[in-house]
Amino acid sequence: MRPFDLQRPDSLEHARNLSTGETATLIAGGTNLLDLMKLQVEVPERVVAIDRLGMNEIQATEDGGLRIGALVTNTATANDARIRSDYPVLARAILAGATQQLRNRATTGGNLCQRTRCYYFTNIDQPCNKREPGSGCGAIEGIARLHGVLGTSSSCIATYPGDMAVAMSALDATVEIVSADGSERSVPVRDFHLLPGDTPWRDNVLETGEIITAVTLPALVEGKQLYRKVRERSSYAFALVSVAAIIAMEGDTIARADLAFGGLAHKPWYDPRLSDLLVGKAPDAALFDSAADLLLENAQGYGENDFKIPLARRTLAAVLAEATETEL
Amino acid sequence: MPDTITINGTDHTLPSDPRVSLLDFLRHDLGLSGTKKGCDHGQCGACTVIVNGMRINSCLTLAALHDGDDVTTIEGLGTPENPSALQAAFVEHDGYQCGYCTPGQICSATAMLDEIKAGFASDASESLDGEMEASADEIRERMSGNLCRCGAYANIVAAIRDVASQGETA
Ligand SMILES: Cc1cc2nc3c(=O)[nH]c(=O)nc-3n(C[C@H](O)[C@H](O)[C@H](O)COP(=O)(O)OP(=O)(O)OC[C@H]3O[C@@H](n4cnc5c(N)ncnc54)[C@H](O)[C@@H]3O)c2cc1C
Ligand code: SF4
Ligand code: FES
Ligand code: FES
């Protein structure tokens, strides 16, 4: 690990002043940042610890939702009674990620900002446009098993690896951000992560010096909530494909269908057309198939990850069948 | 309590180099070599210790950020003469071969049994609410953060189930 200065402000205001400048990086639980600092993928000159800033509560909001502080641990979120009863898709997504030891340290903000697990990104001997702009992408013609099939670009095909944000995307949660000058903005989780385009070094919309303060969940939604994660082993592995779903029925037809997908793209994938297609229809295998056709319309495999396309189709069908109690 | 950390009941001064992980601080600076380094990247669980009652990977945390914290390592759980229930059960059930993962397994299991009592859910739990059971499936899921290169899993699960059914953790 390269030498760095460690700073530990005890107010958000002080942290904002410290976090400006390209060379400063925030540390929350440290489970992603320290991993990457040991590999010299991240080489900050200053590390600003935000663990003393509070932001560690889950509070009810005025409009009936919940506000999860940026420093609430994944364990605390998954075990909060209100999250368990009203937002089980979020509790399930978190519990399907990492391990208890990691979730005990991992925070809301850090989880959202965790970096890709692309093998070329984490190996400084390899070319990678995300880590070293202009050096090329090792994965496109290389080992691409974990990589994206939707929204990729000719500069990067990496995936966002997390589970929590996939559920937050299905729930249409909002990220609250404060900038160095104290101004605040809110960004829907669905717009927080970026596609790689020709700026693959940008994972998300955060600008230098910005700090996530919380994620807000909208008021409780009607419907069945499911999170299904397909991975190489049954625990302690990142998603190959995951689906977060909130599905409500009215009589024999689908009344609500909010779906988000992990493992397919550089961001939790949310396609509003799926809801338009599904709502108002009676669930059956043909409908699920046409939803998958729409979802995967522009999907492109890179050899090693071709399997993700049929896997996404089958996982979507399985989730829709379970949520609507349809026999396949 | 600026710059001190309590480890197994004894106060220590934290290192001045911010790069030192809690794991290296325990092993290298304090000579508490019971806690093991397997991967140094959060991928194996050999470095598991209990901080303020919660199990964490000591390799992925900076010692300097633990002032005022209370850490329990394998050395703090028991001694050869006076082992904890889990330490005794691992011996009884042969819950290891080489023993390298064992301190992490036992620290992890100690905290895990408390989590079950506290009603923490896991990915294997049928329901997110209510009483949690120390079934074999639950133990396998909850202990998935501790790999065993020797594959002693069956005996590890047996040792933990034995203690869980005695209803004691330490
Ligand atoms: C072996 C292993 C397996 C894993 N498996 C999974 C898995 O299956 N599913 C999954 O979802 N995750 C998994 N993870 C990732 C884990 O969830 C993340 O490491 C964790 O959520 C990061 O949170 P943290 O608080 O430790 O972040 P840190 O490491 O402290 O920070 C990560 C990044 O976020 C930035 N950051 C942190 N807080 C803020 C803030 N408030 N505002 C702005 N920026 C901020 C930091 O600057 C840094 O760039 C795994 C990790 C490991 C090591
Ligand atoms: S896929 Fe993206 S992160 Fe991976 S090597 Fe290519 S540019 Fe780097
Ligand atoms: S040494 Fe910490 S998890 Fe492997
Ligand atoms: S006993 Fe050898 S690694 Fe577990």
Side-chain angles (χ1 to χ4, degrees):
Chain A
M1 208 187 282
R2 299 266 185 88
F4 59 89
D5 283 333
L6 181 62
Q7 296 170 313
R8 203 181 190 188
D10 46 24
S11 74
L12 186 58
E13 197 182 6
H14 189 196
R16 286 195 338 250
N17 294 329
L18 293 174
S19 67
T20 49
E22 295 287 340
T23 54
T25 299
L26 304 179
I27 187 167
T31 58
N32 190 226
L33 183 68
L34 293 173
D35 191 355
L36 294 173
M37 283 173 67
K38 290 181 190 194
L39 298 166
Q40 299 193 9
V41 170
E42 304 256 21
V43 286
E45 285 171 24
R46 277 190 303 126
V47 173
V48 180
I50 58 174
D51 58 337
R52 290 251 164 102
L53 303 188
M55 308 198 294
N56 56 1
E57 281 176 60
I58 303 180
Q59 295 158 316
T61 60
E62 272 173 19
D63 50 8
L66 287 178
R67 185 172 185 275
I68 308 169
L71 290 168
V72 176
T73 64
N74 280 181
T75 295
T77 302
N79 287 300
D80 183 274
R82 296 160 294 182
I83 302 268
R84 282 179 174 187
S85 65
D86 297 353
Y87 306 94
V89 66
L90 180 57
R92 287 286 178 192
I94 290 173
L95 293 173
T99 65
Q100 188 69 48
Q101 287 99 311
L102 289 160
R103 294 190 297 268
N104 284 345
R105 290 292 294 172
T107 63
T108 315
N111 196 320
L112 276 176
C113 297
Q114 64 175 295
R115 310 215 60 191
T116 186
R117 309 303 285 201
C118 170
Y119 335 97
Y120 301 87
F121 174 71
T122 54
N123 183 340
I124 58 169
D125 298 329
Q126 296 292 326
C128 169
N129 288 325
K130 185 184 278 296
R131 179 171 34 75
E132 209 180 306
S135 63
C137 169
I140 288 179
E141 305 219 325
I143 300 170
R145 190 165 173 81
L146 289 177
H147 291 71
V149 294
L150 290 171
T152 54
S153 78
S154 57
S155 27
C156 177
I157 61 170
T159 46
Y160 168 76
D163 294 292
M164 179 194 82
V166 178
M168 287 177 169
S169 172
L171 289 164
D172 198 12
T174 305
V175 187
E176 292 178 24
I177 299 165
V178 64
S179 68
D181 66 10
S183 58
E184 293 172 13
R185 63 176 179 138
S186 302
V187 178
V189 168
R190 291 172 186 171
D191 301 330
F192 178 76
H193 297 94
L194 298 171
L195 289 179
D198 49 18
T199 54
W201 50 91
R202 293 200 69 191
D203 290 350
N204 56 52
V205 299
L206 287 183
E207 303 284 350
T208 305
E210 284 191 317
I211 301 176
I212 297 171
T213 54
V215 172
T216 304
L217 305 177
L220 169 65
V221 295
E222 286 299 313
K224 214 175 250 181
Q225 299 185 18
L226 297 175
Y227 189 74
R228 184 173 297 209
K229 175 173 176 181
V230 185
R231 42 191 157 168
E232 305 276 15
R233 57 184 182 196
S234 61
S235 188
Y236 205 4
F238 286 92
L240 294 170
V241 172
S242 72
V243 183
I246 302 148
I247 309 280
M249 297 291 288
E250 232 169 63
D252 292 334
T253 59
I254 298 173
R256 171 182 205 118
D258 293 331
L259 295 157
F261 300 82
L264 298 180
H266 201 255
K267 57 184 293 186
W269 191 260
Y270 173 78
D271 184 341
R273 298 177 307 164
L274 291 183
S275 169
D276 296 342
L277 176 90
L278 291 164
V279 169
K281 308 251 172 58
D284 62 21
L287 181 69
F288 303 163
D289 234 16
S290 44
D293 287 341
L294 193 59
L295 170 73
L296 299 163
E297 192 177 44
N298 297 312
Q300 186 193 342
Y302 291 84
E304 286 223 328
N305 70 348
D306 289 350
F307 74 92
K308 282 192 177 180
I309 299 172
L311 185 61
R313 172 177 293 276
R314 289 197 300 271
T315 313
L316 173 59
V319 166
L320 289 173
E322 183 180 342
T324 59
E325 293 172 26
T326 305
E327 291 278 335
L328 281 186
Chain B
M1 297 178 266
D3 297 334
T4 63
I5 181 171
T6 308
I7 294 165
N8 303 327
T10 307
D11 286 353
H12 296 273
T13 305
L14 285 167
S16 52
D17 186 338
R19 289 176 295 179
V20 178
S21 68
L22 179 58
L23 174 60
D24 286 344
F25 179 64
L26 291 170
R27 289 182 56 84
H28 197 262
D29 296 10
L30 302 183
L32 289 169
S33 57
T35 307
K36 297 292 185 266
K37 183 184 283 191
C39 65
D40 215 20
H41 287 280
Q43 298 175 358
C44 75
C47 66
T48 303
V49 298
I50 304 169
V51 177
N52 303 335
M54 304 290 264
R55 49 179 163 150
I56 68 169
N57 302 107
S58 60
C59 68
L60 286 187
T61 189
L62 298 175
L65 295 178
H66 285 281
D67 61 301
D69 284 354
D70 191 353
V71 180
T72 304
T73 68
I74 189 72
E75 290 92 344
L77 289 177
T79 60
E81 297 71 39
N82 189 16
S84 74
L86 276 162
Q87 286 172 324
F90 268 65
V91 174
E92 171 76 24
H93 290 271
D94 257 339
Y96 44 77
Q97 283 182 32
C98 75
Y100 196 81
C101 71
T102 314
Q105 299 279 1
I106 292 178
C107 281
S108 195
T110 302
M112 190 268 299
L113 291 177
D114 288 342
E115 290 156 10
I116 289 185
K117 278 194 200 144
F120 282 30
S122 87
D123 192 38
S125 310
E126 281 286 313
S127 160
L128 293 170
D129 286 313
E131 278 201 17
M132 297 294 157
E133 258 185 83
S135 66
D137 278 349
E138 280 278 13
I139 290 172
R140 278 192 279 267
E141 165 58 28
R142 289 168 188 268
M143 292 295 293
S144 74
N146 293 85
L147 304 189
C148 174
R149 185 66 176 78
C150 300
Y153 296 111
N155 293 356
I156 292 171
V157 172
I160 297 172
R161 291 199 76 180
D162 193 359
V163 175
S165 66
Q166 296 161 25
E168 53 181 281
T169 64

